[in-house]
Amino acid sequence: MITAHATTHHRADRYTDGMEVLRRIDREAGQRIVDTLADVSPELGHQVVAWAFGDMYARPELVARERQLVTLGVLTALGGCEIELEVHINAALNVGLTPVEISEALLHSAVYCGMPRAINATLVAKKVFGERGLLPVSNIA
């Protein structure tokens, strides 16, 4: 039987572990997500940190660069995820992906999810690259 104390302690550990992972890849963006959700759904903020980053992202089977490539592709394919794309394009840069690699991944996604979604994602990348002084990017074959 799991006691309330054990459950609370496990919950706190998952959150702490997730925040450590999130800070490593997203720097201050992770705390901004939690802060933004605090007055509307603090539990969603907790789950983003504890589950998405503490449990899933921290798994050793893929390295952070690989996880970010998958994430960029999925967010592009979903469409309407510009806020999340901005966070994850920054995270991709933080874990060592280059602007050319990111641009190429978004270009590649056009084959599977269509031009409009690839263009929208690429325009988010342009914003992030501009803010970080990384323009222009050339991935012409």
Side-chain angles (χ1 to χ4, degrees):
M1 180 175 181
I2 298 176
T3 65
H5 175 71
T7 303
T8 303
H9 181 69
H10 179 66
R11 179 179 167 85
D13 289 344
R14 289 176 59 237
Y15 184 86
T16 300
D17 294 346
M19 190 55 82
E20 182 180 315
V21 171
L22 192 51
R23 281 190 187 114
R24 239 185 1 255
I25 61 165
D26 281 343
R27 300 183 183 145
E28 71 284 341
Q31 189 61 54
R32 278 198 313 268
I33 292 165
V34 172
D35 294 346
T36 300
L37 293 170
D39 63 348
V40 65
S41 183
E43 183 60 22
L44 180 56
H46 175 86
Q47 293 300 326
V48 166
V49 174
W51 181 67
F53 289 90
D55 291 345
M56 298 307 292
Y57 199 99
R59 292 175 56 83
E61 288 77 12
L62 295 175
V63 297
R65 286 174 49 92
E66 294 164 339
R67 289 193 185 277
Q68 285 306 321
L69 282 171
V70 170
T71 302
L72 294 178
V74 170
L75 291 174
T76 299
L78 286 171
C81 298
E82 287 75 15
I83 293 169
E84 293 83 1
L85 270 166
E86 186 172 343
V87 168
H88 284 283
I89 290 166
N90 271 298
L93 292 166
N94 293 344
V95 300
L97 285 164
T98 67
V100 169
E101 290 170 322
I102 293 167
S103 181
E104 191 66 24
L106 300 177
L107 172 65
H108 183 74
S109 70
V111 174
Y112 298 95
C113 64
M115 287 290 188
R117 289 184 177 173
I119 290 168
N120 289 345
T122 300
L123 292 176
V124 174
K126 178 180 180 175
K127 177 182 184 285
V128 171
F129 296 161
E131 290 170 354
R132 292 179 71 157
L134 300 172
L135 290 175
V137 175
S138 178
N139 67 334
I140 297 173

